[in-house]
Amino acid sequence: MKSAFIVLVLVILTSAAAAVWLRKLVHAALCLTATFAGLAALYLQLGAEFVGFAQILIYVGAVAMLVIFAILLTRNAGMTPEVRWSKHSGIIGTAIGLLVLGCLLISLSASNGIRLIAANTPEPTINVQRMGEQLMTRCVLPLEVLGLLLTAAMIGAVILAMPEKHGEGLDSDGRKIDEL
Amino acid sequence: MLLETWLVQLKHWMVNLFPAGWQPGVGSLVSVTVILGVFATLFAVATLLERKGLGRIQNRPGPNRVGPWGLFQPVADGIKMLTKEDIVPLTADQVVHFLAPIVLLAPVTLAFAVIPFGRKLVPIDLDAGLLFFFAVGSAAEVAAFMAGWSSHNKYSLLGAMRAIAQMISFELPLVISTMAVIMMSGSLSLVEIVRAQDGGVFGLIPRWHVLTPWGLAGFLIFFTAALAESNRSPFDLPEGESEIIGGFMTEYSGFKYALFFMGEYFGMFAVSGLATTLFLGGWHAPLPFLDRTLVPSFVWFFGKLLLLLFVFIWLRGTLPRLRVDQLMNFSWKFLLPLALINLLVVALWRFTASWPLAGRWALCLVALAAPFVALGAALMRHRHWKPRHYRYAR
Amino acid sequence: MLGGGIIKGLIETARNFLGSYHDPARFVTVQYPEQSRVHPENNRNFPFLVFDGDDPAKGLRCVACKICEKECPPQCIYIVPERDERGRPRKHPAIFDIDVSVCMSCQICVEVCPFDAIKMDQVFELSGPDRFGRLLLHKQDLAKPNDYYRAIHPSEAVAVDAQLAAERALLEAKAKTNVAPKAGGMPPAGTPAQPKYSIT
């Protein structure tokens, strides 16, 4: 078990470092995808099946694709970007990194997961059914709020992407394009 | 009973030859070997079936030169593929170009792990088996992108963009149509879902999900979305050989091309197997009393799988390819709303369990047919059937 | 009904699928090496040289006038006339090569030939292991008897034969009556060097 953990962590750290340091944006995005997949494997190794599969489905299947689309649809796709270092960029980057680390540490130490492990309580058996019941009963309000937020975001995206009003549905000769 | 369990007994016998510490590993290895062997054979059979079937549909005899009735054609194809030169474009991204077929094939093969092939033939019974299936299936998008981008070819990139857009669009109706089944059987485990379709009325009419109004609609939506997910005609735009040469496979040759081809077929098998499990009763016999006969259950499973494969081929021989805008409209404006409505109908079916059967059926059928007709009419309303103008080809 | 077209199409293809098993008349293809389609008479592919009589070396109608060589658009014809010991050309080709890998079957050589010596063939099974040697046809490959020409283009051959017989008769008649011949062997002045028949 321990050796599997070490291998997984090595894979995750290597691909994460590669995602940061590689010059080509697409390579970085693919390495990031590998990191996501490694994290999913880590969840699976810890026995959290549902979270692991959801991680693959959402991060590898959707988020990575979103990142790749964003890279390809901007200019100089696949090219090495011109890096413009400013004098303070190193300091700013370090500050942001430390800030994120601090946030994570505070929230981690505040969660009761650590206390449970420290207290050596037997780990709760979690199956998909119980998780679903929790989502539909105790956590139903956060779930609905999240859904509403995502819907609002999607509608906003559609409105942003909507074409100009004039010449809509016409081809370059001014004929109407027949839709489905 | 021996007919049913000989594979499992063979595996136990083989595993027991090894020391105790090795047994789990050897057991998995045996299962993997059997699955790979069976599906590689099925791949050969399916290519022959496809070429023969398409030939007959077009009033041709199909391949008939290699062996009796052309039965050894897959062997000839295989030798041809393996002996061809493997060409990598000079400007291609060598590493990503090499990895793409592997990233495609490995997860697709993983998807077979959760499908119950027979009463005793379940590779892994995962608690969240269905989720596992869709999770590994989503890696195909990454593979398509890797192949298309690394080839450094505009047709490859176009094909990859089409493939990703299409897979993302059709994954929603695909997953939502399966959610209907999850709601009724109350489990994500595929073994449980097959068990929910056990038995039947009077031992004659099976209790398959496809024989309910929501199941029929769900099956049709699932099958349509599965056609698109596995890039099969009429949704084969990512390949689109008459438009963009070969899509993301343009710059692949020899064995790597064969791997892509195999990935496409394996995807087709996996999704057909899932359709069989979710809607067509899995390994159950078409008539419930046949379940107790000597015929092993995996025969029924693979029979249904081959039948679905034939429908894939039949549709390929019938329908022309869609345009990109038609494809997107079809997915987002037609299939997705219908899949969502189907979820409501499942709830309706579940809460009217005490009603007489005829009333239940009528209510659910109306609840499904009305939006089908209304959506169809709304989408077809602005259609102008005029002679088409071609700007460059007079 | 929405989706009705798909079902209609599926029924049609299913009818094809089942029908092709019990009704061989449905087949649109032929099993090529064993069977072959009947080609239309005017089908043409690559030229050949016609010879009269039995001996291809003597009976060639070609007089090595090189008109076809000059007219050939892709320049796939190569002719060297036979010469006697004083170096004057004989009316017979020593070399007559056609590179069919270059020939485009345009039939211009046939149109310009004043002697009906070169005609269009119908061969198409010319594949071979050698890219250059096999497709460079020499005089002996190209020479085919008039009977062959009659067999592949019957109606055209009858017209050509009648024309040639008439010319020969006219020539003989002239040789008898005319006391002052202009030049021996040349075709009569009235004979036009243009096609005497046409393929439409």
Side-chain angles (χ1 to χ4, degrees):
Chain A
M1 272 308 186
K2 205 154 195 181
S3 57
F5 178 78
I6 289 169
V7 169
L8 277 177
V9 165
L10 276 180
V11 167
I12 293 168
L13 288 181
T14 319
S15 54
V20 175
W21 274 313
L22 278 181
R23 305 286 288 177
K24 272 193 183 175
L25 276 179
V26 175
H27 282 171
L30 288 174
C31 286
L32 193 66
T33 316
T35 314
F36 291 151
L39 279 175
L42 201 61
Y43 291 144
L44 290 180
Q45 203 238 342
L46 291 171
E49 268 183 14
F50 190 87
V51 183
F53 297 150
Q55 164 90 11
I56 298 180
L57 191 62
I58 291 164
Y59 279 86
V60 178
V63 173
M65 282 302 116
L66 197 71
V67 171
I68 283 167
F69 258 78
I71 291 172
L72 284 188
L73 293 179
T74 47
R75 277 178 303 141
N76 294 334
M79 300 292 125
T80 313
E82 293 170 39
V83 185
R84 286 187 296 270
W85 293 100
S86 78
K87 271 184 237 164
H88 311 293
S89 58
I91 304 163
I92 297 169
T94 316
I96 292 174
L98 285 176
L99 209 65
V100 171
L101 187 68
C103 285
L104 280 176
L105 278 179
I106 291 167
S107 53
L108 266 179
S109 58
S111 82
N112 51 6
I114 300 235
R115 255 168 281 145
L116 282 176
I117 291 171
N120 243 340
T121 43
E123 51 184 271
T125 51
I126 300 168
N127 58 9
V128 180
Q129 198 153 7
R130 268 197 53 198
M131 205 181 285
E133 276 161 11
Q134 288 286 308
L135 275 179
M136 281 294 135
T137 52
R138 223 186 88 199
C139 308
V140 70
L141 191 67
L143 188 74
E144 292 297 316
V145 169
L146 263 180
L148 206 64
L149 185 71
L150 287 176
T151 314
M154 203 160 79
I155 292 171
V158 169
I159 288 171
L160 279 181
M162 252 189 333
E164 304 286 315
K165 205 68 199 168
H166 62 87
E168 185 187 352
L170 300 178
D171 66 7
S172 52
D173 284 3
R175 275 192 295 266
K176 195 149 171 39
I177 298 169
D178 54 332
E179 290 177 34
L180 175 87
Chain B
M1 271 334 265
L2 191 69
L3 276 175
E4 178 72 50
T5 57
W6 63 273
L7 266 168
V8 182
Q9 284 177 1
L10 196 69
K11 183 184 161 188
H12 279 304
W13 175 77
M14 279 176 81
V15 166
N16 281 331
L17 293 179
F18 289 90
W22 291 30
Q23 280 185 5
V26 172
S28 325
L29 206 65
V30 171
S31 302
V32 168
T33 315
V34 170
I35 290 176
L36 280 184
V38 166
F39 279 98
T41 317
L42 198 61
F43 171 52
V45 173
T47 52
L48 184 69
L49 200 71
E50 170 138 30
R51 295 178 65 175
K52 284 288 220 186
L54 282 182
R56 290 286 169 179
I57 282 170
Q58 296 155 5
N59 284 325
R60 299 181 284 114
N64 59 357
R65 295 281 149 179
V66 194
W69 306 292
L71 281 181
F72 297 141
Q73 185 67 37
V75 181
D77 286 345
I79 292 172
K80 184 192 110 181
M81 283 291 188
L82 289 180
T83 51
K84 272 197 166 184
E85 188 186 352
D86 178 25
I87 301 167
V88 181
L90 201 63
T91 49
D93 197 306
Q94 310 285 330
V95 181
V96 184
H97 190 269
F98 173 77
L99 282 178
I102 302 168
V103 173
L104 179 74
L105 197 60
V108 169
T109 318
L110 273 180
F112 292 128
V114 286
I115 294 176
F117 299 108
R119 189 175 286 133
K120 308 277 181 200
L121 292 180
V122 189
I124 317 169
D125 179 15
L126 278 180
D127 201 19
L130 199 56
L131 197 64
F132 172 82
F133 188 94
F134 289 122
V136 292
S138 66
E141 291 155 25
V142 182
F145 168 75
M146 284 167 77
W149 179 79
S150 68
S151 296
H152 214 278
N153 175 332
K154 63 187 111 177
Y155 295 108
S156 298
L157 196 57
L158 272 176
M161 295 298 259
R162 280 187 181 190
I164 297 169
Q166 176 176 331
M167 283 184 199
I168 288 178
S169 305
F170 279 87
E171 198 153 299
L172 281 166
L174 190 79
V175 174
I176 290 176
S177 61
T178 59
M179 266 160 68
V181 177
I182 301 166
M183 277 171 76
M184 276 311 277
S185 54
S187 174
L188 276 172
S189 154
L190 291 174
V191 177
E192 286 296 321
I193 288 171
V194 173
R195 198 171 295 148
Q197 304 176 61
D198 200 359
V201 188
F202 313 126
L204 278 176
I205 306 166
R207 212 182 293 151
W208 296 356
H209 287 146
V210 77
L211 298 176
T212 54
W214 61 268
L216 185 62
F219 176 67
L220 291 178
I221 295 167
F222 182 88
F223 196 79
T224 314
L227 270 178
E229 278 288 297
S230 50
N231 293 342
R232 293 281 303 181
S233 181
F235 304 111
D236 57 346
L237 288 105
E239 279 168 62
E241 50 282 279
S242 54
E243 304 159 17
I244 50 170
I245 307 172
F248 54 84
M249 300 194 250
T250 305
E251 295 291 359
Y252 282 88
S253 58
F255 192 57
K256 286 185 199 154
Y257 179 79
L259 283 182
F260 271 110
F261 207 60
M262 205 160 158
E264 188 187 319
Y265 270 81
F266 274 22
M268 209 160 86
F269 299 153
V271 94
S272 304
L274 191 68
T276 307
T277 309
L278 292 178
F279 297 101
L280 300 180
W283 43 261
H284 285 302
L287 298 172
F289 68 87
L290 286 176
D291 262 343
R292 290 187 290 278
T293 52
L294 272 180
V295 184
S297 52
F298 52 84
V299 170
W300 299 120
F301 180 87
F302 281 102
K304 290 172 192 173
L305 190 74
L306 282 174
L307 201 70
L308 282 182
L309 284 185
F310 181 75
V311 179
F312 269 104
I313 294 164
W314 190 8
L315 281 167
R316 182 179 169 188
T318 305
L319 299 175
R321 185 183 304 138
L322 269 70
R323 278 201 320 261
V324 180
D325 59 329
Q326 290 170 336
L327 184 92
M328 289 297 154
N329 280 342
F330 181 62
S331 168
W332 291 100
K333 294 186 185 168
F334 188 71
L335 225 46
L336 186 61
L338 276 185
L340 288 171
I341 286 163
N342 194 35
L343 278 187
L344 291 179
V345 173
V346 179
L348 203 65
W349 181 263
R350 179 139 197 174
F351 290 123
T352 55
S354 55
W355 285 27
L357 200 64
R360 228 173 148 198
W361 262 88
L363 183 68
C364 288
L365 275 185
V366 167
L368 278 168
F372 178 76
V373 173
L375 265 177
L379 286 175
M380 303 286 269
R381 199 178 49 208
H382 297 299
R383 194 148 194 178
H384 305 289
W385 298 102
K386 280 186 304 189
R388 283 193 71 168
H389 295 283
Y390 293 97
R391 282 169 68 191
Y392 300 109
R394 297 286 174 202
Chain C
M1 197 194 98
L2 191 62
I6 295 175
I7 294 171
K8 219 196 249 168
L10 285 175
I11 291 171
E12 187 59 39
T13 43
R15 199 180 288 147
N16 277 349
F17 181 82
L18 297 174
S20 63
Y21 276 101
H22 66 79
D23 182 14
R26 276 175 168 270
F27 280 142
V28 290
T29 52
V30 291
Q31 297 304 301
Y32 162 61
E34 291 94 37
Q35 302 166 10
S36 180
R37 280 192 197 290
V38 180
H39 295 288
E41 191 190 325
N42 282 343
N43 159 41
R44 60 182 158 119
N45 205 24
F46 301 139
F48 72 102
L49 297 175
V50 188
F51 68 85
D52 296 313
D54 299 325
D55 187 8
K58 280 183 192 159
L60 274 186
R61 288 181 190 166
C62 178
V63 298
C65 65
K66 291 190 166 194
I67 294 176
C68 52
E69 187 186 26
K70 290 192 185 82
E71 292 287 338
C72 179
Q75 304 196 340
C76 66
I77 303 177
Y78 176 68
I79 303 173
V80 175
E82 214 173 80
R83 289 178 189 276
D84 57 13
E85 53 281 355
R86 286 169 59 193
R88 289 181 307 188
R90 276 195 192 124
K91 286 169 184 164
H92 193 266
I95 299 175
F96 195 114
D97 289 351
I98 294 180
D99 190 347
V100 291
S101 62
V102 176
C103 175
M104 58 185 194
S105 297
C106 64
Q107 211 186 355
I108 286 178
C109 51
V110 177
E111 310 285 348
V112 299
C113 182
F115 304 102
D116 286 307
I118 187 163
K119 293 290 170 197
M120 293 309 286
D121 207 340
Q122 291 186 337
V123 290
F124 54 92
E125 290 157 319
L126 289 166
S127 56
D130 182 9
R131 182 171 151 196
F132 299 106
R134 178 75 175 79
L135 293 178
L136 180 64
L137 301 183
H138 301 296
K139 196 170 70 176
Q140 57 271 27
D141 307 317
L142 291 165
K144 286 173 185 176
N146 199 19
D147 289 339
Y148 175 77
Y149 180 43
R150 286 199 198 101
I152 59 170
H153 295 302
S155 48
E156 199 183 290
V158 167
V160 171
D161 281 352
Q163 176 90 25
L164 284 175
E167 275 171 23
R168 214 174 296 123
L170 197 70
L171 204 65
E172 276 163 15
K174 263 191 185 165
K176 268 182 205 159
T177 53
N178 239 354
V179 193
K182 285 188 175 178
M186 282 293 281
T191 317
Q194 48 178 268
K196 281 139 285 191
Y197 57 89
S198 65
I199 290 178
T200 49

